[in-house]
Amino acid sequence: MSGAPMPSSFDDDKDFYEENRWQKFSRRLKEEPLIPLGCALTCYALLQATKSIRAGDHVNTNRMFRARIYAQGFTLLAIVAGSMYYQTDRQKRKEFEGVVADRKAKEKNEAWIRELEARDREDKEWRVRRDAINQAAKLQDAVGAAKSVVERSERRGEGGILDAIRELVQGRR
């Protein structure tokens, strides 16, 4: 079997695979709700310890510092357990993100190739037009040269056909 993931009904739904930061944050919060809870408990314990230090209550201060240590331990345990539990899901998500990145790169490359082909067509059309203009200019020059030959012969040949034949015969000798 290939290593590619199975096709899904969400393959055409870009929003399913491509998420912004807020969507990622909310998804991670839903996946592992114990980590933010542990962070909140740690902050609460620190806040209460600070208040008890200002009040001068040493017993409550020590209790809150112990609570902070327990809350940090709970948070650390939640991080480790969550990472073990969601390890395969994260690997799959990384594979999907890699596939999406490859697809985007391929689409970008194809768009670049289409742009180059369009530019190439425009360049070829421009060259064809330029060649046609050059040929028309050469044809115009040839017509102008033929007219000048005919005009010269008409100016010289006021004497008629006999003078033209005489010039031909004298030019050959």
Side-chain angles (χ1 to χ4, degrees):
M1 291 192 98
S2 70
M6 294 292 289
S8 170
S9 60
F10 294 108
D11 285 344
D12 295 331
D13 187 10
K14 290 184 179 181
D15 293 334
F16 182 74
Y17 294 112
E18 300 173 14
E19 56 190 7
N20 61 27
R21 290 181 184 181
W22 179 250
Q23 290 171 335
K24 183 176 181 178
F25 176 75
S26 62
R27 177 182 55 82
R28 297 293 291 267
L29 189 64
K30 290 174 187 174
E31 285 179 357
E32 300 183 51
L34 296 179
I35 293 173
L37 177 66
C39 291
L41 289 174
T42 303
C43 290
Y44 177 76
L46 278 174
L47 180 66
Q48 291 302 318
T50 305
K51 285 182 180 181
S52 63
I53 287 174
R54 287 189 180 166
D57 186 6
H58 298 292
V59 176
N60 196 25
T61 301
N62 285 332
R63 188 180 319 141
M64 286 298 119
F65 278 134
R66 284 189 207 109
R68 177 191 58 90
I69 291 171
Y70 295 142
Q72 285 178 330
F74 173 76
T75 305
L76 188 61
L77 185 66
I79 289 172
V80 170
S83 67
M84 289 174 25
Y85 183 76
Y86 287 107
Q87 182 178 7
T88 57
D89 186 48
R90 286 195 181 112
Q91 286 176 346
K92 288 179 183 178
R93 182 158 291 278
K94 277 188 179 180
E95 290 174 7
F96 279 130
E97 288 172 357
V99 168
V100 168
D102 290 344
R103 187 183 72 220
K104 280 185 177 181
K106 186 177 179 181
E107 288 173 359
K108 185 177 180 181
N109 190 21
E110 289 172 356
W112 181 61
I113 289 173
R114 283 193 304 271
E115 176 69 24
L116 288 177
E117 288 173 348
R119 288 184 182 188
D120 189 44
R121 280 193 305 272
E122 289 174 358
D123 189 45
K124 286 179 182 177
E125 291 170 359
W126 180 80
R127 287 181 186 189
V128 167
R129 285 194 307 262
R130 187 186 66 189
D131 290 342
I133 290 170
N134 287 343
Q135 286 180 346
K138 287 180 183 178
L139 184 63
Q140 188 68 21
D141 289 344
V143 169
K147 283 184 180 178
S148 66
V149 170
V150 170
E151 288 174 358
R152 242 186 296 145
S153 66
E154 287 177 354
R155 275 184 268 137
R156 274 189 277 144
E158 293 177 358
I161 295 177
L162 291 176
D163 289 334
I165 293 175
R166 196 176 305 132
E167 287 180 18
L168 283 175
V169 171
Q170 289 176 356
R172 286 188 183 171
R173 289 184 187 167

